[in-house]
């Protein structure tokens, strides 16, 4: 049965938002601690007081999807133009939500945003080590999935979008490898490819992203693309999703570092054989950086399966809790032709 | 255990720390470029590393904390206690040339001990996964010197000494892996695979103890990653290839779940040579001084001080306010009294 491009884009948006909101309350806890507190989480919950998303309502997204959403809005405002100006504007626009900026922005993003605002970082100790290896984080990968839909399945354009949007804050080989793996996977899904091809294209994106990142900052750290391969292999060879969750978290840290959480995300997709809801839930329950893994899984598999895989009540709650109209947004995205310059 | 092994452990740990201080933070390619090849000697740390301003041969937090820990345990008749750990830490913090290096987890713990909890301007979530760092493992190897080669004793002592700063299952898993491996290395009859097996055993025990008595945080299985790293180390053709594979798949950074498995991968590739192991660690990139201090401690305990060029001891003594021979002698004497030297 053919799924229209619009329905794939909508699926990507809904999936990404769903994953983010589902994982928001479980973030940081271990798999066991999550289970002890809530059982296996399969419904929206209001985040407790001791997580980053404290104060959110059930179904509310965090920085992961809100950054993607704002970025898409800025591109639409610019009539499809994707350039450095639009990328910066998106960050500034996002930062207008003071609570989100305070609660969610990581130190790198915050510093960058403050610089854009003309607020110089006060505590400059004067010493900067040769590398800041913590920059190899998943902040690019976390937001790029939905934005990549604007490439509408054109690989070159999609990777260019990923580069322009992510490079300012995540311009290093590891972070860009992760971002481009996600972007290319979404791109592949929009083309109607099967899961195997999507995973291949993720690997291909990882390779290309690494090269793009090499034009940026040097970092020390493991190889995102090699670990991606291992995680996918682990996912494929697992007996079931639950086993995959356990084996993946034994070998990978499900943390905010790109070479950890992004391979795990794809490992879960492989283990679930592309079942969007199963994989998103697995990511939300595996522990640690759950919302980011779940948003990545949701973006890719949402594009793969199309919007109808998500129950009506999920879309309704997401729209309500966040003031969105995701189907309408998908339509707008479909009607715009992006120019990357 | 004998005097040569005790001194070997201390000297290896010190040399690894000092040599790695110059390459820290850079990745493998950057190290090769900056130093003009594979680093095999002490260099003055560059201006853009944490150890800037130090002389070549100078130790950082890694070995200085380990050294003071050992001194305090000796003063306590060879018995490790929480009070001994706190005393050592506060003494250490009083020495600016050491405490300038205090890592994030250690610094926070010391402030808490001194009653100066930093006013929490940043929110810390209920489960603080950022605490699974290598700051416990980095000081663990010499703690095994009080075990006489008894792996369980080394693990117990390490838990006691490291809980004050790193009371979580991930950090303690890493620390106990290193201590257990060192204990095994101190036994005359141990082979390299015994050291590795002990490391895996220690990782499991440390993780269990951390879950039971400390905080359970998120993190991979250090035991499983040690096995993966060892596989890479054993199937690589030489150390230079091994460190590429270990870096690619495991990493060698601040988190215990990277640095500690990297140590064992390097040990597996070293063929037991302490120098080869230290060089591998110094050149792998990222948290090189910590990886090297651990490798140096474990393989130094195995090979003994005779594995190192004579000048190493001279260099370490010249540039640091420590006396390794005196400490080794004191530890040996304590062990003699308890019949631990065989």
């Amino acid at each position: 049965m053919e799924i229209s491009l619009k329905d794939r884009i909508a699926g990507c948006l809904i999936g990404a938002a769903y994953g983010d909101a589902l994982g928001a309350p479980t973030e940081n806890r271990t798999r066991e601690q999550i289970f002890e507190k809530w059982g296996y989480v399969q419904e929206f919950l209001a985040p407790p007081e001791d997580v980053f998303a404290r104060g959110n309502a059930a179904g509310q997204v965090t920085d992961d999807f809100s950054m993607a959403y704002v970025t898409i809005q800025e591109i639409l405002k610019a009539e499809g133009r994707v350039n450095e100006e639009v990328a910066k504007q998106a960050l500034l626009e996002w930062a207008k939500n003071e609570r989100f900026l305070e609660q969610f922005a990581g130190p790198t993003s915050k510093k960058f945003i403050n610089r854009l605002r003309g607020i110089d970082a006060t505590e400059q100790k004067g010493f900067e080590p040769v590398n800041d290896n913590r920059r190899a984080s998943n902040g690019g990968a976390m937001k790029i999935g939905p934005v990549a839909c604007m490439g509408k399945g054109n690989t070159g354009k999609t990777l260019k979008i990923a580069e322009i949007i992510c490079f300012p804050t995540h311009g290093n080989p590891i972070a860009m490898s992760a971002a481009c793996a996600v972007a290319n996977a979404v791109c592949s899904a929009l083309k109607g490819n099967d899961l195997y091809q999507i995973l291949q294209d993720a690997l291909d994106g990882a390779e290309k992203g690494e090269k793009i990142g090499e034009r940026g900052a040097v970092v020390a750290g493991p190889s995102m693309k090699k670990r991606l391969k291992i995680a996918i292999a682990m996912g494929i060879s697992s007996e079931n999703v639950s086993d995959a969750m356990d084996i993946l978290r034994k070998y990978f840290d499900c943390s905010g570092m790109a070479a950890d959480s992004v391979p795990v995300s794809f490992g879960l997709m492989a283990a679930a054989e592309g079942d969007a809801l199963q994989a998103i839930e697995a990511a939300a329950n595996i522990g640690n950086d759950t919302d980011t893994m779940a948003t990545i899984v949701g973006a890719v598999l949402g594009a793969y399966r199309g919007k109808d895989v998500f129950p009506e009540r999920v879309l309704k709650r997401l729209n309500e809790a966040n003031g969105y109209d995701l189907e309408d947004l998908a339509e707008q995205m479909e009607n715009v032709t992006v120019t990357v310059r | 255990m004998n005097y040569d092994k005790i001194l070997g452990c201390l000297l290896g740990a010190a040399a690894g720390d000092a040599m790695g201080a110059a390459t820290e933070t850079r990745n493998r390619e950057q190290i090769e470029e900056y130093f003009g090849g594979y680093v095999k000697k002490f260099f003055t740390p560059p201006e853009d590393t944490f150890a800037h301003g130090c002389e070549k041969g100078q130790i950082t937090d890694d070995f200085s904390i380990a050294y003071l820990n050992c001194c305090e345990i000796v003063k306590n008749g060879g018995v490790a206690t929480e009070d001994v750990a706190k005393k050592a830490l506060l003494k250490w913090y009083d020495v600016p040339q050491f405490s300038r290096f205090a890592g994030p987890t250690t610094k926070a713990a010391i402030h808490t001990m001194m009653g100066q909890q930093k006013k929490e301007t940043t929110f810390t979530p209920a489960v603080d996964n950022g605490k699974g760092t290598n700051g416990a493992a980095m000081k663990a190897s010499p703690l095994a010197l009080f075990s006489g080669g008894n792996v369980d004793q080394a693990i117990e002592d390490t838990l006691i000494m490291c809980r004050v700063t790193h009371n979580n299952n991930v950090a303690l898993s890493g620390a106990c892996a290193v201590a257990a491996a060192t204990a095994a290395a101190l036994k005359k009859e141990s082979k390299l695979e015994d050291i590795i097996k002990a490391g895996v055993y220690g990782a499991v025990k440390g993780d269990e103890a951390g879950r039971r008595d400390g905080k359970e945080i998120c993190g991979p299985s250090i035991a499983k990653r040690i096995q993966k790293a060892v596989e890479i180390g054993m199937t690589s053709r030489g150390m230079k290839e091994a460190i590429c594979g270990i870096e690619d798949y495991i990493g060698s950074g601040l988190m215990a779940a990277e640095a500690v498995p990297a140590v064992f991968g390097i040990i597996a590739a070293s063929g037991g040579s302490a120098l080869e192991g230290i060089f591998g660690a110094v050149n792998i990139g990222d948290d090189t001084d910590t990886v090297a201090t651990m490798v140096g401690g474990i393989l130094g305990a195995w090979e003994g001080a005779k594995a190192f060029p004579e000048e190493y001891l001279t260099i370490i003594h010249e540039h640091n306010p420590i006396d390794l021979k005196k400490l080794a002698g004191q530890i040996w004497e304590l062990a003699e009294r308890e019949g631990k030297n065989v």
Side-chain angles (χ1 to χ4, degrees), chain A residues 132-154:
Chain A
D132 180 4
N133 298 324
R134 301 301 292 174
R135 289 173 73 171
S137 66
N138 62 15
M142 97 184 173
K143 64 184 182 185
I144 200 59
V147 184
C149 288
M150 306 219 62
K152 291 198 263 189
N154 178 310

Side-chain angles (χ1 to χ4, degrees), chain B residues 32 68 74 159 192 232 242 271 273 276 326:
Chain B
E32 201 174 315
L68 282 175
V74 162
L159 288 169
L192 211 58
I232 296 170
S273 159
E276 284 311 310
K326 176 164 170 227

Side-chain angles (χ1 to χ4, degrees), chain B residues 17-303:
Chain B
D17 184 10
M19 209 180 281
T23 59
E24 194 185 358
T25 315
R26 282 180 159 75
N27 69 24
R28 204 187 56 251
E29 289 103 335
Q30 283 174 309
I31 292 171
E32 201 174 315
E33 194 189 315
Y34 187 92
F35 294 96
Y38 197 69
V39 171
K40 286 162 80 149
K41 57 189 180 111
F42 298 99
F43 279 99
T44 308
E47 277 314 297
D48 53 11
T49 50
F50 294 122
H52 65 272
C54 289
E55 300 162 356
K56 73 172 154 192
Q58 232 179 299
I59 59 179
T60 74
D61 54 332
D62 301 45
F63 188 72
S64 57
I65 249 184
Y67 181 82
L68 282 175
N69 275 340
C70 289
C71 290
E72 287 304 310
I73 297 175
V74 162
K75 277 205 204 121
N76 201 41
V79 179
T81 68
E82 189 177 312
D83 268 333
V84 167
K86 288 184 173 165
K87 208 181 276 180
L89 214 46
L90 291 173
K91 257 200 196 147
W92 176 83
Y93 201 61
D94 247 345
V95 183
Q97 82 177 83
F98 294 157
S99 61
R100 65 173 269 198
F101 290 110
T105 321
T106 302
K107 195 185 273 189
I110 291 176
H111 282 148
T112 307
M113 266 195 285
M114 289 164 68
Q116 293 169 18
Q117 246 126 319
K118 229 177 28 155
K119 226 180 301 190
E120 280 303 330
T121 47
T122 39
F123 164 83
T124 321
V127 189
D128 191 357
N129 301 315
K131 294 260 193 255
T133 52
N134 63 18
M138 97 186 171
K139 57 191 179 184
S141 180
L143 294 177
L145 295 173
F146 299 94
S147 70
N150 180 315
V151 165
D152 287 309
Q153 183 65 52
I155 289 170
E156 196 49 47
D157 287 343
T158 300
L159 288 169
I160 291 170
M161 295 297 288
C162 292
R163 273 198 190 108
V164 293
T165 51
H166 291 76
N167 196 18
N168 64 73
N169 60 314
V170 176
L172 291 176
S173 174
C176 293
V178 172
T182 308
L186 288 167
K187 289 204 276 254
K188 195 167 56 195
E189 66 276 13
S190 284
K191 297 198 207 58
L192 211 58
E193 52 256 42
D194 297 316
I195 295 174
I196 290 170
K197 264 199 217 134
V200 173
Y201 174 79
V204 172
K205 288 289 173 197
D207 179 56
E208 275 169 14
R211 281 170 202 278
R212 192 184 57 231
D213 305 322
K215 198 83 169 98
E216 184 191 5
I217 64 175
C218 296
S221 162
I222 289 179
K224 286 252 174 316
R225 283 170 64 104
I226 287 175
Q227 288 167 328
K228 179 75 195 165
V230 166
E231 180 195 315
I232 296 170
M234 285 178 67
T235 53
S236 299
R237 291 160 301 185
M239 182 62 77
K240 289 189 185 168
E241 187 178 293
I243 60 176
C244 289
I246 293 166
E247 180 67 2
D248 278 347
Y249 288 106
I250 302 287
S252 56
L254 176 68
M255 303 314 276
E258 284 193 5
V260 174
V263 164
F264 285 90
I266 288 170
I267 288 176
S270 71
S273 159
L275 282 181
E276 284 311 310
I278 288 176
F279 297 155
V282 164
N283 287 279
I284 195 173
D286 212 337
D287 205 1
T288 50
D289 59 340
T290 302
V291 178
T293 202
M294 294 189 271
V295 172
I298 296 170
L299 289 181
W302 196 60
E303 267 204 297

Side-chain angles (χ1 to χ4, degrees), chain A residues 53-203:
Chain A
R54 63 203 183 284
N56 269 19
Q60 213 179 332
V61 301
T62 75
D63 52 331
D64 300 45
F65 188 77
S66 63
M67 274 203 169
Y69 183 84
V70 170
T71 306
I72 292 168
Q73 297 285 22
E74 286 306 307
I75 296 172
L76 292 172
K77 262 192 234 162
E79 288 161 349
R81 273 191 312 279
V82 179
N83 53 39
E84 204 177 311
E85 211 32 65
V86 170
K88 289 184 176 160
Q89 193 53 40
L91 286 168
L92 284 171
E93 203 52 46
W94 179 84
K96 284 189 184 158
N97 184 329
E98 288 295 336
R99 179 173 86 87
F100 268 28
L101 179 64
E102 182 50 47
Q103 280 185 225
F104 294 115
T108 322
S109 301
K110 211 179 260 183
K111 223 195 300 194
F112 190 80
I113 289 168
N114 280 335
R115 235 188 313 136
L116 287 180
R117 283 171 157 182
I119 308 167
D120 236 339
T122 39
E123 32 78 49
Q124 269 304 47
K125 289 178 189 156
F127 168 72
E128 296 268 354
V130 52
N131 297 336
D132 180 4
N133 298 324
R134 301 301 292 174
R135 289 173 73 171
S137 66
N138 62 15
M142 97 184 173
K143 64 184 182 185
I144 200 59
V147 184
C149 288
M150 306 219 62
K152 291 198 263 189
N154 178 310
T155 306
K157 198 178 267 191
T158 303
L159 290 177
K160 199 67 195 157
I161 292 171
E163 181 183 341
I164 293 170
I165 296 300
C166 299
F167 202 87
T169 49
H170 290 81
N172 62 75
I174 298 175
M176 285 310 299
S177 177
C180 292
V182 175
N184 212 30
V186 166
C187 180
S188 180
L190 292 181
K191 286 191 251 205
N193 286 325
D194 64 20
L195 184 65
Y196 180 77
Q197 188 59 51
I198 292 171
L199 295 174
Q200 284 294 111
D201 287 335
L203 290 167

Side-chain angles (χ1 to χ4, degrees), chain A residues 185-253:
Chain A
V186 166
C187 180
S188 180
L190 292 181
K191 286 191 251 205
N193 286 325
D194 64 20
L195 184 65
Y196 180 77
Q197 188 59 51
I198 292 171
L199 295 174
Q200 284 294 111
D201 287 335
L203 290 167
D204 193 50
E207 171 90 42
K208 296 195 162 91
E210 193 178 83
K211 291 207 169 54
I212 293 171
E214 275 161 14
R215 290 180 233 141
V218 181
V219 286
S223 165
M224 214 301 297
K225 71 169 194 251
K226 287 188 179 156
R227 286 154 69 101
L228 183 57
K229 227 182 244 194
I230 292 207
I232 290 172
M234 281 180 182
I236 289 177
S237 54
S238 301
E239 281 299 313
N240 52 53
V241 173
S242 179
D243 280 2
M245 286 165 73
D246 280 341
I247 198 162
L248 286 166
R249 72 196 176 114
K250 281 203 167 79
Y251 285 98
F252 297 91
D253 197 353

